[in-house]
Amino acid sequence: MPPLRNMLLRPHSIGITPLPHVQLMLRSRRLFASKSSTTPTSPPTGPTRDVLPHVSEEAAATAKITGETPPEIDQGTPISEVLQRDPKAMKNAPTIIKNEIPGSKRQYSTVNAPVEPPKPIDEVIVHAGIPHGAKFPLPDLPLPSTAHLRRRYAPIVEQVTNLIMRDGKKASAQSTMTEVLAILRTKPAPKENPRIPIIPTAPPLASLPSDPVAYLQTAIDSVAPLLKIKQVKGSGGFRESLPMPLPLRQRRRKAVTWIIEAADKRKVRMGLAERLAEEIVAVVEGKSTAWDKRLQVHRTAVAARANVKVKVM
């Protein structure tokens, strides 16, 4: 019996035949550029390639069939014609494009304004009150108090700003003062307290939030002391208390110092501007401790008036 080796181990060959479209792609692909090659090249087509004609070409073909004027394919269709065909697009188009459409009215003029030649100096009309060569009239004398750069704010605002300033930081103090006035403007009208003597020249309390500077001045001038106690040398080597009147600026300085001391004792979580604003409102309503200090100074001054010596002429 012959062996089965030749039947079981017979070699077989597998033939691989490339597909027709693969052969075409392999033949037409080159890995280098050849000037002598005469193989014609055509634009590839596929599912992602737009094989339809351009919209202008389609419009030209449609206009040729219907007998209308076809658009210029070389230059393209003007945007004005596209907008005139589509009312919805015309409605949503920008104004500058609408103005360029024939038949629409422009909202502005595109004509340059005529430029007048400059007049000689001798022909310039000099208005009454304006000196020759000046552009504006001279200011009236005397100048107002707000005309000077350093005195353009109210005196009470400048004084309070200087008193709350620390380490020479004027800009920081001005920012704090601005915030104080802004907080006073947002506060409700203070409640009237008949037990405290509000300054008679103060405006009505209901109108104070509308004028924060008047709000600040009313609080300071009301709590400001009229006198100060000065210690002088008396008879027998003893020192005597002598009441002395205070000018307006020193009165306000003493009142602002009391208000700042009372504001520093308020809640720490509040900023300086908030504490000052709350203390100013408390002064107008009669709830501040600055009123106690003022009352104590006036009581001492009344008790020490016997030490005042009057010279009889």
Side-chain angles (χ1 to χ4, degrees), residues 4-12:
L4 300 177
R5 182 178 56 182
N6 295 336
M7 297 177 60
L8 298 177
L9 301 178
R10 184 178 179 179
H12 296 274

Side-chain angles (χ1 to χ4, degrees), residues 117-137:
K119 297 181 180 180
I121 299 178
D122 298 336
E123 298 182 5
V124 175
I125 301 176
V126 180
H127 299 279
I130 302 179
H132 181 74
K135 189 175 182 180
F136 300 100

Side-chain angles (χ1 to χ4, degrees), residues 3-24:
L4 300 177
R5 182 178 56 182
N6 295 336
M7 297 177 60
L8 298 177
L9 301 178
R10 184 178 179 179
H12 296 274
S13 60
I14 301 176
I16 301 177
T17 304
L19 297 177
H21 65 277
V22 177
Q23 292 181 0
L24 180 61

